Amino acid sequence: MVVPVYTQIVEAIKAKIDSGELKPGDAIDSENTLCKEFGASRMTIRKGLGILAQEGYIYSIPGKGNFVKKPDLTKYTIYYDEMSNTINSVDRTRLLEVNIIMPDDTLADNLQISKRKNVISIKRLFFTEGNPVAYDIKYLLYHRGMPIVEKELQYATFSEMLSKTTPAFALKKELLISAEIPDEKVKHYLNIYKELPVLVVEQKLFNRDNKPMGMGFTYYRGDYIKIHGTNQ
Amino acid sequence: MVVPVYTQIVEAIKAKIDSGELKPGDAIDSENTLCKEFGASRMTIRKGLGILAQEGYIYSIPGKGNFVKKPDLTKYTIYYDEMSNTINSVDRTRLLEVNIIMPDDTLADNLQISKRKNVISIKRLFFTEGNPVAYDIKYLLYHRGMPIVEKELQYATFSEMLSKTTPAFALKKELLISAEIPDEKVKHYLNIYKELPVLVVEQKLFNRDNKPMGMGFTYYRGDYIKIHGTNQ
DNA sequence: CAGTGGTCTAGACCACAGC
DNA sequence: CTGTGGTCTAGACCACTGC
């Protein structure tokens, strides 16, 4: 049962903040003062403060001191890929079409390419327990080494498709989540006969230089998906 | 133009990972080896490795070494509060009702309380440029010090309502995002006369001990909101 | 056993705040 | 000028891994 000194420092200062003894904007004892208080070296104190900073509890101003931060009440983390979510998971996919297309104005705009460049479009259906739950369409700029084997395309998530040609760590990604009434084609694919909305997740992937590598839309039956987030 | 040594270490190793020279699972040179390679002390090397670990590039196994991590392709960050989003922002609110109620089965279950406990319910309408864009309902366990002044309730986000009585840092929060067809009441409040879905954001707030402090539902007109996330 | 990462120390020099 | 945080060093001891 060894608790590192820096952990004790973290817990002690967290306790002061959570109890209200230290309020946002308040200064924390200086590092040298903390050294004396905890009987630790400055590097150990700084390790503790670094953890508090990383967790969003404090920030530092060089030459001034360490201060209690106003918590960010609006930040959440979600774990999303097309195939799995908190309620159900996709257990089967069907590759509907793979085409080489010329982008229309909107797509060319979004991918920041000329309308005469070729784009790969991939349309898929996702199933859970035999029922279609999502219609998925992706647009990819063609790159050497891109998976064009059906098997690879059929089961890959968007990130996986591109991480073969772009180092995954360098991928920047964006999500847009919205609610829509499905058009007739989507209704047909998803067996929607009554009034039922779709949850639309639009994904965009960029390389390290912010150049768009692809975009995609996934249309989920509204009664199938809930996207889950936490502030952890 | 001073670049700390540890930053150079971070960049050097990132470059090796991004270029594919180091692949997930590969071992990184030992800390002592890196000391020699970079002509730096072990603490400085460890500072660099700590940053790489924190950014998700590497992980370490005591007694074995540091290794390249498989990137988490599914993690996104969203910034959400009821009043603002990437497309528009709420510029006016109307407090519809504040009531003390007895929870029904579902609510008592969700808040983990007896059905005989009292709960505050707050119903509001959010407007943008004169148009109703969201119907919002919150359920709060009553606590001393809770804002009951209309003005405070009217403009507060959920986190703000509770951060007066619970230290904001200790708040755990959950989101559930889904698409629904609005019921007649919501349709009426949001001036929906045609087929238009709502994006529903369900929020739950917990204190540090995972005790639910409140829950809420916000029903946004589908043509009003898109929730935005990135992997940053 | 030797090598690894995890913790910790007691110094040092620097740039910057504020008086 | 003093005090602050930011960087860095050259050691040390520990627990763990794998031979």
Side-chain angles (χ1 to χ4, degrees):
Chain A
M1 194 52 188
V2 267
V3 178
V5 179
Y6 64 80
T7 303
Q8 299 173 32
I9 296 163
V10 168
E11 294 306 323
I13 295 178
K14 263 191 196 177
K16 284 193 184 183
I17 295 174
D18 284 345
S19 73
E21 188 180 333
L22 286 172
K23 291 181 181 55
D26 286 357
I28 293 168
D29 291 343
S30 80
E31 295 178 0
N32 280 316
T33 307
L34 291 170
C35 288
K36 289 162 198 157
E37 285 176 21
F38 287 92
S41 77
R42 188 158 160 244
M43 285 304 268
T44 302
I45 297 293
R46 282 181 61 76
K47 168 123 188 173
L49 294 178
I51 291 170
L52 287 166
Q54 199 235 298
E55 291 184 1
Y57 280 79
I58 67 172
Y59 62 95
S60 67
I61 303 179
K64 297 191 74 173
N66 289 284
F67 301 88
V68 179
K69 201 167 163 182
K70 186 151 57 74
D72 187 347
L73 299 169
T74 70
K75 187 178 180 180
Y76 295 85
T77 300
I78 63 176
Y79 293 90
Y80 170 81
D81 77 48
E82 301 98 298
M83 306 280 190
S84 54
N85 69 81
T86 25
I87 305 182
N88 288 300
S89 264
V90 169
D91 53 26
R92 193 161 64 81
T93 69
R94 181 192 301 159
L95 192 58
L96 299 171
E97 297 175 35
V98 180
N99 291 305
I100 308 290
I101 61 164
M102 306 276 262
D104 61 18
D105 285 348
T106 313
L107 185 58
D109 224 45
N110 271 305
L111 294 179
Q112 297 171 27
I113 53 170
S114 145
K115 280 169 63 182
R116 275 172 290 175
K117 284 264 183 189
N118 286 326
V119 171
I120 304 173
S121 94
I122 300 156
K123 293 176 185 170
R124 298 183 294 181
L125 258 186
F126 297 155
F127 295 83
T128 295
E129 293 171 4
N131 301 310
V133 293
Y135 172 70
D136 180 79
I137 180 161
K138 304 272 188 263
Y139 301 102
L140 300 173
L141 301 192
Y142 180 75
H143 281 89
R144 235 173 270 274
M146 187 152 280
I148 41 166
V149 182
E150 277 207 9
K151 277 237 169 132
E152 290 184 40
L153 284 179
Q154 187 166 353
Y155 296 107
T157 64
F158 203 10
S159 300
E160 287 166 355
M161 289 180 191
L162 284 176
S163 64
K164 311 225 167 179
T165 51
T166 309
F169 276 117
L171 277 180
K172 292 179 189 171
K173 302 187 284 182
E174 276 186 24
L175 286 187
L176 277 178
I177 304 166
S178 56
E180 287 181 18
I181 295 294
D183 62 22
E184 287 309 316
K185 190 172 75 173
V186 173
K187 274 187 179 175
H188 168 252
Y189 279 126
L190 297 182
N191 287 351
I192 296 176
Y193 305 115
K194 51 171 186 174
E195 203 183 28
L196 181 73
V198 286
L199 190 78
V200 185
V201 179
E202 177 183 336
Q203 284 179 285
K204 267 200 208 178
L205 274 67
F206 304 82
N207 69 8
R208 169 160 284 191
D209 306 319
N210 275 321
K211 193 172 165 298
M213 306 297 288
M215 72 182 306
F217 300 87
T218 311
Y219 302 85
Y220 296 93
R221 281 181 64 109
D223 53 6
Y224 168 73
I225 195 177
K226 290 193 183 204
I227 291 178
H228 182 255
T230 67
N231 68 327
Q232 298 306 306
Chain B
M1 195 52 189
V2 267
V3 178
V5 179
Y6 64 79
T7 304
Q8 300 172 32
I9 296 163
V10 168
E11 294 307 323
I13 296 178
K14 264 191 195 177
K16 283 193 185 184
I17 294 175
D18 284 346
S19 73
E21 188 180 334
L22 287 172
K23 291 183 181 54
D26 287 356
I28 293 168
D29 290 344
S30 80
E31 296 178 359
N32 281 316
T33 307
L34 290 171
C35 288
K36 290 164 198 156
E37 285 176 20
F38 287 93
S41 77
R42 187 155 161 245
M43 286 305 268
T44 302
I45 297 293
R46 282 181 60 77
K47 168 123 187 173
L49 295 178
I51 291 169
L52 287 166
Q54 200 238 301
E55 291 183 1
Y57 280 79
I58 66 172
Y59 63 95
S60 67
I61 303 179
K64 296 192 73 174
N66 288 285
F67 301 89
V68 179
K69 200 167 163 181
K70 189 149 59 73
D72 187 348
L73 298 169
T74 69
K75 187 178 180 181
Y76 295 85
T77 300
I78 63 176
Y79 293 90
Y80 170 81
D81 77 47
E82 302 97 297
M83 307 280 191
S84 53
N85 69 79
T86 25
I87 305 182
N88 289 300
S89 263
V90 169
D91 53 26
R92 192 161 64 80
T93 70
R94 182 193 299 160
L95 192 57
L96 298 171
E97 296 174 36
V98 179
N99 290 306
I100 307 290
I101 61 163
M102 305 277 262
D104 61 18
D105 285 346
T106 313
L107 185 58
D109 224 47
N110 271 305
L111 294 178
Q112 296 170 26
I113 53 169
S114 145
K115 279 170 65 181
R116 275 172 290 176
K117 284 265 182 189
N118 285 326
V119 170
I120 304 173
S121 93
I122 300 156
K123 293 175 184 169
R124 298 184 294 181
L125 259 186
F126 298 155
F127 295 82
T128 294
E129 293 171 5
N131 301 310
V133 293
Y135 173 71
D136 180 78
I137 179 160
K138 303 272 188 263
Y139 302 100
L140 300 173
L141 302 191
Y142 180 76
H143 280 89
R144 236 172 268 276
M146 189 153 278
I148 42 165
V149 182
E150 278 207 7
K151 277 233 170 138
E152 290 181 43
L153 284 180
Q154 187 165 355
Y155 295 107
T157 64
F158 203 11
S159 300
E160 287 165 357
M161 289 180 191
L162 284 175
S163 63
K164 311 225 165 177
T165 52
T166 309
F169 275 116
L171 276 181
K172 292 179 190 170
K173 302 186 284 182
E174 276 185 23
L175 285 187
L176 278 177
I177 304 166
S178 56
E180 288 182 17
I181 295 294
D183 62 22
E184 287 308 317
K185 192 172 75 176
V186 172
K187 274 187 177 174
H188 167 251
Y189 278 125
L190 297 183
N191 288 350
I192 295 175
Y193 305 115
K194 50 170 186 173
E195 203 184 26
L196 180 72
V198 286
L199 189 79
V200 186
V201 179
E202 178 182 335
Q203 284 178 284
K204 266 200 209 180
L205 273 67
F206 304 83
N207 69 8
R208 168 160 286 193
D209 307 319
N210 275 321
K211 193 172 164 299
M213 306 298 287
M215 73 182 306
F217 299 87
T218 311
Y219 302 86
Y220 296 93
R221 282 181 63 108
D223 53 7
Y224 168 73
I225 194 176
K226 289 191 184 206
I227 292 178
H228 182 255
T230 67
N231 69 327
Q232 298 305 307

